[in-house]
Amino acid sequence: MSVRTARAAVWAALPAEAALLGCVVAGVRIPGAVLVAAEALVAAVLVLEAVVLWRLYAARRRAGADRRDAARDALRTLVPVAVRRLLAHEVRTLHSLGLWVLRRRHRIPEGALAVAYTGPQTAIMYALLFVSVVETVALAVVIPWPAVHAVLLVVDVYGVVLVLGLHAACVVRPHVVGADGSLRLRYGALFDLRVPAAAIAAARVDRRYPDGRLVRLGADGVLDLAVGSQTTVTVELTEPVECVRPLGARGFARTLRFHADDPREVVAALTRVRTDASP
């Protein structure tokens, strides 16, 4: 019984279960035999997942791994990396929301410079939050079915929390210029790249408007980490550094372009540290 079979079973069962749930909350009468068959399918998939997970765990234990490492390796093998990273991002986002409420920031070492980057997106995020709240209220008025009300209320409220959490994560997880000249680039809970001081060759203020996604790594080794479709600082590296995109894809970058609300402060900090360190 292979890992590929177990993954295929999950991807086949989830859409069917979601469609069935949608019919139930919409008031569609479903024959009892169909409900029994659907629940039997879900139970069979769960059993299949448990069996494959146990076999993977047992194989790791026979190879000499301890229980914790064996369980971790089994989960990593069975659960796709994109799913694991999405779940991790969601947990970190909710944790960041708590830090934001407490007015704390995430791991800013003593003597380091915290670099804010939320300026271009703050208005957009709050506008999106307002639209989400209005949509929640409007659907509650328009849709007449109480069961659908309950489901949509949970989904919409959780969506509002995630939107607020995404902005909060960007606030409490700023870029960091370390006291030793190192650089840590972040975008909320979605992206985190550490660059040692020795790998930084030069930094300059450089406003650009790249096209494409939040994180884009070109074939030329240029990494764009844009906020509000703009970057304001360019950092040249002495050697490539490995970066991990939000869904787990990996690559190497030789030039970093990112946004900072005060780019001159970032460049001055990086330049000052390298100047002080030079003989």
Side-chain angles (χ1 to χ4, degrees):
M1 195 178 300
S2 66
V3 174
R4 182 177 298 179
T5 302
R7 288 182 175 179
V10 171
W11 291 121
L14 285 178
E17 185 73 4
L20 185 64
L21 179 61
C23 292
V24 171
V25 299
V28 178
R29 188 173 181 276
I30 300 175
V34 174
L35 288 174
V36 171
E39 296 309 314
L41 173 63
V42 172
V45 170
L46 291 176
V47 170
L48 174 62
E49 296 295 307
V51 170
V52 173
L53 187 62
W54 173 256
R55 289 185 176 181
L56 291 171
Y57 172 81
R60 300 299 190 276
R61 290 286 288 163
R62 287 194 298 270
D66 59 29
R67 292 181 178 178
R68 182 176 180 178
D69 290 341
R72 184 184 63 233
D73 292 343
L75 285 172
R76 286 181 175 177
T77 302
L78 184 60
V79 182
V81 62
V83 175
R84 297 200 310 269
R85 291 188 66 85
L86 284 173
L87 292 175
H89 294 331
E90 196 164 326
V91 171
R92 293 191 191 103
T93 296
L94 296 177
H95 174 250
S96 299
L97 186 58
L99 293 178
W100 188 56
V101 171
L102 296 174
R103 296 181 179 276
R104 297 171 59 187
R105 290 185 295 185
H106 182 265
R107 295 186 180 179
I108 309 297
E110 185 177 354
L113 172 66
V115 181
Y117 52 85
T118 57
Q121 72 175 24
T122 300
I124 297 174
M125 296 300 290
Y126 281 117
L128 180 60
L129 184 66
F130 175 76
V131 170
S132 298
V133 172
V134 170
E135 179 188 21
T136 301
V137 175
L139 289 177
V141 173
V142 172
I143 297 177
W145 305 292
V148 178
H149 274 171
V151 174
L152 289 180
L153 180 62
V154 172
V155 173
D156 287 343
V157 169
Y158 191 61
V160 169
V161 170
L162 286 182
V163 170
L164 191 60
L166 177 61
H167 178 64
C170 293
V171 173
V172 305
R173 296 171 182 263
H175 304 317
V176 179
V177 178
D180 62 346
S182 61
L183 177 64
R184 184 177 186 181
L185 296 182
R186 300 192 278 192
Y187 182 82
L190 296 175
F191 184 81
D192 194 342
L193 172 64
R194 298 173 186 264
V195 183
I200 298 176
R204 64 182 183 274
V205 176
D206 182 19
R207 187 175 297 275
R208 293 173 178 264
Y209 300 91
D211 297 326
R213 296 166 293 180
L214 166 71
V215 180
R216 187 182 67 173
L217 180 60
D220 55 356
V222 176
L223 174 71
D224 287 311
L225 179 61
V227 178
S229 299
Q230 63 179 289
T231 64
T232 55
V233 179
T234 295
V235 174
E236 304 288 348
L237 304 179
T238 60
E239 59 185 12
V241 295
E242 185 178 26
C243 55
V244 183
R245 301 182 194 183
L247 292 182
R250 295 176 179 269
F252 289 88
R254 294 194 63 97
T255 300
L256 309 176
R257 296 173 182 162
F258 59 95
H259 175 78
D261 289 349
D262 190 347
R264 291 181 176 81
E265 183 182 35
V266 179
V267 172
L270 291 171
T271 304
R272 181 175 61 252
V273 172
R274 292 199 312 278
T275 302
D276 294 343
S278 61

